[in-house]
Amino acid sequence: MVVALKLPEVKMTQASLHSLTLSIRLLKEGRTANDALRKKHGLKKVSSSGGILYTGQSDEVKPTWLDFVSGFSKIALNLVNRSCSAVLFLDVEPEIKSKDKTKKRVMVLTFGSGHHALEPAACERNFGLRVAINSISKTDLRSVDVATLDATTFQRRIQSSRNAELQSFGIDTYRDLIRLASGTPTDRTFARALSGRDALTISTRTDQKGVEAKCRGALKLFYSDDYKKNGYEWVDYIIHVRDDVTLKGLNDLLFAELQSLLSGTGSDLHLAFPGILNPESSFEIGYFGLGLKSGQKDVFTELAIEDYINQILEGNPGDILGIKALKASHEIRVIKDGHGDKKESTPVYDCFVMETELNGSLYVLFGGDWYAVDKKFHAEVEADYQKLLSKTPVANGILCDSERELIIEMDKDEDLLNLDQVKLAPTGASGANLEPCDFFSRTKRFIHLKDGHGSSPISHLWNQGVVAAESFVRDEKFRKDLRAAAEKRQKKAKKTGFETCLPDGRSRPVASEYTVVYGIMRHKYKSSGKLGLPFFSKVSLRPVAQRIELMGFPVEIHLIEKPEKLVGSAPKAKAKKPPNAKTSSRTRKAA
């Protein structure tokens, strides 16, 4: 049930009302009109009967497309662009008299291009979004903007042709960040329609006196927490940090971790690609940028914080004065024909993965952005992860530097059948090339392996397990092909009996007799001395594990220890390995 807030009433005559779309922002506490505008805002302060008003009119500017269009005209075209702006600051008295919510707040109304004159850091982040989810019923949404946290952050807008329920928008409350919400508010006297992100945009009928009442109503909605009763409580699980002060504090902590690594002290900071740069079969990278080793570059076949630190130590660490310089310069590039390819590069900053606390709150750096994580949500994710975590990993006691080496070692086990690089095509997907698993065991376990510090994100491993499990349960052709592949592989490996653990194509398997196992190679965390996974890998695992369990399969997470790499000097070159070998050692030099 939606809680409708009673907003202030203002007597207005129909003749005095104007149909307007108002864009409203809220200044942060302590900010005023004097320090809320950019230094070169170009607006002029004008005398006003209420609030503080700035206006501006741009000069005439010829459109960039005028010369092109003129070529089609038989007469001279005299077309110019002009824009006008207005920014109105109003002191608003809050209605709520609770602690910390009694001070006057400054609200800003912008017209035309006036919002460009505002200093972004002066305004409350997510003000409009907070008002929107406190005033729009979860059955009256019209559109939402969401960002999905995964190996790559995907942003999308989902629109409905008419008001619809929240669940109709297909939002994953575990992983999706809601950035903007639009719809019809419960209180139609406040607005006919509204949309909110940082700014609140409302369509309404009002006059000069009524505007202040609208602002008081918006402030009341901002202070409310009725969204938790209205079905939006999950928006607090993970919040994108965009406050400049907090970001500076977090980046200072990040730089301190880098300095710790450079001095030889341990750190849990590590690198992971936000996406795949290049197929693993030809994956070679180098580190480029200010303060890194210059001249002929060392080439690596794995992304590792130790290699990155070594490249700084062999360069000029003193040139890197802070995170700002690092963000602007440091890149990881794919090596092609002995040279770093600028077209296939990604900023090093986007690859940092870090979890830390600041002022009692938990934050995670992922994909180049910082996120604040709700403590209760963090505890729930951790509890679900611990339920899946096996105390006896499939490769217990095996220390390997790469996934390829691990597969070679596990292949020696008579109770495991190597199905690595077996490609099967489910019915209707002839070119799918789906891997059923890396190993199949006599105890009916489908084992999927991934180097958790390698070139492709862990979330791809989760997806591989889901698709393989679905195909095994639903697709007769897939089961027949899997059994045939198992017979062929065991004959080659001089092993027997694995085909009896798999159904023939016609027999539908009992999913509960099989187990989906995810084996992830990881270095131990320095702080705890234990193996673990990044927080967002655990977040993306939750819905995947639930989906597999709904099919009837038990799910297990097996963490496999990788030997520690030393930081100090770059590793010596090793003999060249086969093209498919996965190792973090330098294999050659690049220009």
Side-chain angles (χ1 to χ4, degrees):
M1 181 175 180
V2 174
V3 179
L5 292 176
K6 185 177 178 62
L7 300 177
E9 296 182 0
V10 176
K11 293 182 179 179
M12 294 178 259
T13 64
Q14 288 296 318
S16 66
L17 299 182
H18 299 273
S19 291
L20 293 171
T21 297
L22 298 176
S23 179
I24 307 171
R25 289 169 172 79
L26 176 64
L27 292 191
K28 293 177 180 177
E29 289 193 61
R31 288 278 196 166
T32 66
N34 292 330
D35 60 4
L37 294 172
R38 296 179 187 270
K39 290 183 178 180
K40 297 181 179 181
H41 54 77
L43 302 183
K44 180 180 179 181
K45 188 176 180 179
V46 298
S47 178
S48 61
S49 58
I52 300 174
L53 178 63
Y54 289 83
T55 63
Q57 176 76 61
S58 69
D59 296 330
E60 293 184 351
V61 178
K62 184 177 72 172
T64 57
W65 42 260
L66 180 59
D67 291 340
F68 177 78
V69 172
S70 296
F72 294 88
S73 176
K74 293 183 178 180
I75 61 173
L77 298 180
N78 184 24
L79 303 176
V80 294
N81 286 328
R82 296 192 74 186
S83 64
C84 51
S85 308
V87 179
L88 176 64
F89 296 91
L90 295 175
D91 286 333
V92 178
E93 187 80 41
E95 290 187 12
I96 298 176
K97 301 302 180 183
S98 60
K99 185 180 179 182
D100 299 329
K101 298 178 181 177
T102 59
K103 298 178 182 178
K104 282 186 177 181
R105 299 295 298 270
V106 180
M107 304 191 78
V108 190
L109 284 80
T110 59
F111 303 87
S113 56
H115 61 282
H116 292 302
L118 288 174
E119 181 64 53
C123 300
E124 290 279 3
R125 298 294 189 183
N126 295 320
F127 162 71
L129 176 61
R130 180 77 173 241
V131 174
I133 61 178
N134 271 318
S135 59
I136 301 173
S137 162
K138 66 178 181 179
T139 61
D140 287 327
L141 281 169
R142 181 60 64 91
S143 71
V144 292
D145 287 6
V146 295
T148 300
L149 297 175
D150 206 327
T152 301
T153 299
F154 293 94
Q155 301 187 60
R156 64 191 190 280
R157 173 166 293 177
I158 311 166
Q159 294 179 312
S160 172
S161 59
R162 59 184 178 181
N163 289 354
E165 292 191 7
L166 175 65
Q167 63 185 25
S168 302
F169 288 83
I171 295 175
D172 184 339
T173 57
Y174 290 141
R175 294 191 296 167
D176 286 346
L177 301 180
I178 186 168
R179 297 285 185 86
L180 176 147
S182 302
T184 304
T186 303
D187 189 342
R188 306 294 175 86
T189 64
F190 177 57
R192 296 191 301 270
L194 61 80
S195 176
R197 188 178 180 181
D198 290 342
L200 171 68
T201 303
I202 61 174
S203 298
T204 187
R205 288 177 63 82
T206 189
D207 63 4
Q208 285 83 353
K209 292 182 179 179
V211 165
E212 187 173 345
K214 298 291 183 185
C215 289
R216 285 199 302 272
L219 187 59
K220 185 176 182 178
L221 286 164
F222 174 70
Y223 283 142
S224 173
D225 60 0
D226 287 332
Y227 68 94
K228 296 179 181 179
K229 307 170 188 175
N230 297 344
Y232 299 101
E233 69 284 349
W234 53 274
V235 302
D236 288 336
Y237 290 170
I238 305 170
I239 300 173
H240 188 195
V241 179
R242 293 188 287 162
D243 176 76
D244 290 341
V245 174
T246 304
L247 285 173
K248 183 182 183 306
L250 292 168
N251 281 325
D252 286 346
L253 289 174
L254 170 61
F255 193 65
E257 290 296 302
L258 281 171
Q259 293 299 313
S260 177
L261 283 168
L262 288 169
S263 67
T265 308
S267 170
D268 290 331
L269 177 67
H270 65 276
L271 295 172
F273 277 123
I276 299 177
L277 286 182
N278 209 37
E280 287 187 294
S281 59
S282 59
F283 185 85
E284 292 183 328
I285 58 170
Y287 298 93
F288 295 77
L290 180 72
L292 288 163
K293 180 183 178 182
S294 59
Q296 195 173 38
K297 291 291 183 180
D298 298 323
V299 177
F300 303 90
T301 55
E302 177 187 271
L303 186 64
I305 190 71
E306 296 84 1
D307 293 333
Y308 171 62
I309 293 297
N310 282 330
Q311 294 296 284
I312 297 177
L313 290 172
E314 291 192 6
N316 297 296
D319 291 346
I320 309 169
L321 300 179
I323 289 298
K324 184 177 181 180
L326 186 152
K327 288 181 71 173
S329 174
H330 286 201
E331 290 184 338
I332 300 162
R333 299 178 190 170
V334 169
I335 302 299
K336 290 184 175 179
D337 299 323
H339 298 273
D341 187 351
K342 292 184 179 180
K343 294 181 180 179
E344 287 199 57
S345 65
T346 194
V348 170
Y349 186 86
D350 289 357
C351 299
F352 284 132
V353 178
M354 178 176 169
E355 298 177 23
T356 189
E357 285 194 12
L358 180 66
N359 299 327
S361 297
L362 177 67
Y363 295 91
V364 177
L365 175 60
F366 175 82
D369 290 304
W370 282 101
Y371 299 91
V373 180
D374 178 74
K375 290 184 178 180
K376 183 179 178 181
F377 177 63
H378 182 270
E380 291 174 356
V381 171
E382 186 63 30
D384 286 348
Y385 166 71
Q386 290 296 332
K387 290 177 184 177
L388 302 175
L389 189 60
S390 172
K391 295 181 180 179
T392 55
V394 290
N396 194 25
I398 299 177
L399 294 177
C400 295
D401 194 51
S402 70
E403 183 182 328
R404 178 58 49 197
E405 292 174 7
L406 177 65
I407 288 174
I408 292 172
E409 288 299 314
M410 290 178 65
D411 200 17
K412 298 174 183 178
D413 191 330
E414 290 297 319
D415 292 325
L416 297 177
L417 180 63
N418 185 344
L419 295 178
D420 177 46
Q421 297 185 7
V422 167
K423 306 292 185 181
L424 304 180
T427 301
S430 58
N433 290 329
L434 173 63
E435 286 192 24
C437 59
D438 289 296
F439 283 94
F440 179 67
S441 76
R442 296 189 192 277
T443 54
K444 297 186 176 181
R445 295 200 278 185
F446 292 104
I447 302 169
H448 302 270
L449 300 175
K450 176 63 65 179
D451 184 343
H453 287 287
S455 59
S456 60
I458 296 174
S459 60
H460 289 133
L461 182 69
W462 306 154
N463 295 333
Q464 177 182 312
V466 170
V467 176
E470 287 181 338
S471 299
F472 182 67
V473 169
R474 299 174 182 175
D475 190 354
E476 179 179 326
K477 176 181 180 298
F478 181 87
R479 291 193 295 272
K480 284 182 179 179
D481 292 346
L482 174 58
R483 183 160 175 158
E487 290 174 343
K488 184 177 180 180
R489 278 294 181 96
Q490 70 179 9
K491 182 178 180 181
K492 183 178 180 180
K494 298 181 180 179
K495 298 179 180 180
T496 59
F498 287 95
E499 82 284 356
T500 62
C501 301
L502 294 166
D504 57 33
R506 292 166 295 177
S507 302
R508 191 176 182 88
V510 179
S512 60
E513 294 180 358
Y514 297 84
T515 302
V516 175
V517 172
Y518 290 113
I520 305 102
M521 302 176 70
R522 296 283 295 171
H523 297 299
K524 286 183 176 180
Y525 283 116
K526 301 293 189 301
S527 58
S528 65
K530 298 179 180 179
L531 293 172
L533 292 179
F535 175 71
F536 280 122
S537 293
K538 297 175 184 176
V539 171
S540 60
L541 170 64
R542 278 183 103 190
V544 166
Q546 290 175 358
R547 187 171 160 189
I548 296 174
E549 289 172 341
L550 284 173
M551 289 184 251
F553 295 93
V555 179
E556 294 179 1
I557 300 297
H558 292 222
L559 297 180
I560 303 165
E561 184 179 353
K562 289 188 69 175
E564 291 301 315
K565 301 181 70 175
L566 299 177
V567 175
S569 59
K572 293 181 179 180
K574 294 184 178 180
K576 189 163 178 117
K577 296 194 174 186
N580 290 331
K582 299 175 183 178
T583 171
S584 62
S585 299
R586 183 192 315 157
T587 57
R588 59 183 178 82
K589 300 281 186 177

